[in-house]
Structure formats: C-alpha cells, structure tokens
C-alpha cells in the first residue's frame, strides 16, 4: 500500500546522486534542483530512496514556500499545525520553528522537538513524513537527532517484545505541552478550539510500515501517555524501558545542518529530537508535514 499521491509531471530528467550516510539511517541527495519540476522517474527514485533510507537530506535547496509545498504534496495531503499563530503568512501549510522574537512576540515555536517524538503521532492520521528547510542557522548547536524505531523493534529483548505484542497506547498533544524544556521558553496557552483539534488518540505500540511492511516501535516520550488495558505503574515501567531502548546510539543519525539543507524524514519509521542552541543565536526553519495512514 502506498500513501504517495500520484501526480503525473512531465519534466526533464535531472542528474543526481543518492549517497547513503555511514549511519543507521539516512542518505544525502546531491545535484537535485527542487526549484525545477521533478519528473515522474526522478520522483520515483526519490520516493524509493526515502523508503530505503528513512531520511533524505537535499543539499543547497534555495526554494520558495510554494516550491516546498508543491514538492511535499507529491507525497500526500499536507497537515496544518494546531498552533495557527506560527504558520507562515499566506502559506498555512508551512509551520515556522524558530527561537526568534520580533516586537516582543515569538515568530515560531521555539522549543519544538526537545523530547523524542514522531510528528503528529497524536493525530488519528499521524504524519507520513516531515520536510524541514533551513532558513537561518545558528553558528553553534541546532543539531537534530533521528533514531530508527524499526532497528529498535528488531533488537528488542524477546521478553519485552512479547509483553508489547498486540498492545495499544494513547497519544496526546498536551501530554508534556506545559513542560519547560528550553530555559525560559513557555508555550502559548491553547484555546478551547485548539484543544478540540488535539483530542487523545490510540495507536498500536508496534506499527507496520504501510509501504515496506517493516515493523517498528510507535511510542514516544513526548506524546504517548499510557499503554491501554494494563495497570498504570506497569505501563509506566514498560514505556520507560521502550524509551531507553529506542534512543540507543546505535540507532541514531545526528544531522549537523548546513545552509539551505532540506531534510525529509519518515515519521512512520523514526523518532527525532532537537538538541537546541544558545538562545541568543537565531534559528529559523520551515516545516511541511505530510499526512499518513491510520497505523496498523
């Protein structure tokens, strides 16, 4: 089953290289120009690379918001983030992640990703993948870590794997929303309308990738609140063991951002974490988020 939107586009073939990283996941795409329409064959090659590597880094992409949105839409419908005040004006499909404050107001979400998570796991249709485009980078810090949840599942101790077999867990956007994760950064209070958009949902603890069939863990410390149908203390202990295992160094790729990088990762296969940067150094990123399927 494929979640990819089938849009036929005739365009000249581009010469580009898919260069895998020396890491558990990830590859960089060298020589592809996303300011140009991507023909069907080139798109199929990018799609295949994304499934094979779970994360792609498109180097030196000086693209407009329209071009980022158009490329993202090739993979499926886009999701609009609940924090409407941080959507790019005129382009609500783009969510601004930034520590920049202008006229006393933050222009984007300043503490995004400080706990390990899979984007929008708190939605009935969690994200297929996210594309994050570097607009302004700090001189130090700002790295993003990505951990393969498929490798994590495949290396689980047999006893723990048996315990979570067939189990389901609840996910909530507000699970850790009020936690202060970067010093001095407080999130905006959610309105009743926003809270109505992010009601708790239930997903399998282990999900099957809809395009590759590979199994992976699908719980995370940011949004998962508890495992259903077991005592609370037991749920807490199992989740703690899963979280500790899921972020082992041998599953992780660390992305050190370069100017105009665009990273496209698979939220069905990975969790990620922002490492943060000194608060006085400006950082601005533009994210599009592609809708996925109901996890199974």
């Amino acid at each position: 089953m494929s979640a990819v939107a089938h849009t036929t586009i005739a365009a000249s073939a581009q010469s580009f290289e898919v260069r895998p990283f020396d890491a558990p996941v990830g590859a960089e795409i060298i020589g592809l120009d996303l300011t140009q329409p991507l023909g069907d064959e080139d798109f199929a090659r990018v799609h295949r690379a994304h499934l094979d590597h779970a994360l792609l880094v498109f180097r030196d992409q000086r693209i407009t918001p329209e071009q980022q949105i158009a490329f993202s839409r090739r993979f499926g419908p886009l999701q609009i983030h609940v924090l409407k005040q941080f959507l790019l004006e005129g382009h609500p499909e783009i969510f601004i992640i930034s520590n920049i404050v202008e006229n006393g107001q933050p222009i984007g979400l300043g503490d995004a990703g400080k706990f390990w998570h899979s984007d929008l796991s708190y939605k009935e249709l969690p994200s297929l993948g996210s594309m994050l485009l570097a607009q302004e980078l700090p001189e130090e810090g700002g790295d993003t870590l990505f951990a393969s949840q498929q490798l994590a599942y495949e290396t689980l101790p047999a006893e723990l794997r048996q315990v979570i077999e067939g189990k389901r867990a609840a996910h909530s956007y507000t699970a850790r929303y009020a936690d202060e994760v970067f010093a001095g950064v407080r999130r905006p209070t959610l309105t009743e309308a926003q809270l109505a958009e992010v009601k708790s949902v239930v997903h399998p603890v282990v999900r099957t990738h809809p395009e590759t069939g590979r199994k992976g863990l699908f719980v995370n410390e940011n949004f998962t609140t508890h495992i259903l149908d077991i005592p609370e203390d037991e749920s807490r202990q199992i989740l703690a063991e899963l979280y500790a295992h899921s972020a082992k160094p041998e599953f992780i790729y660390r992305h050190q951002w370069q100017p105009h990088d665009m990273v496209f990762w698979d939220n069905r296969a990975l969790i990620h974490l922002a490492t943060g940067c000194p608060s006085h150094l400006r950082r601005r990123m533009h994210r599009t988020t592609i809708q996925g399927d109901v996890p199974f």
Side-chain angles (χ1 to χ4, degrees), residues 208-236:
T208 302
H209 195 289
E211 296 189 80
T212 67
R214 199 171 167 192
K215 289 182 182 295
L217 292 178
F218 198 64
V219 290
N220 65 81
E221 63 178 0
N222 201 355
F223 301 130
T224 306
T225 56
H226 62 283
I227 298 172
L228 276 59
D229 303 323
I230 62 172
E232 187 181 339
D233 58 344
E234 191 180 334
S235 164
R236 218 172 14 247

Side-chain angles (χ1 to χ4, degrees), residues 21 83 87 90 146 174 207 210 230 280:
F21 292 126
L83 295 178
L87 303 179
F146 298 87
T174 58
R207 77 173 294 180
I230 62 172
H280 67 283

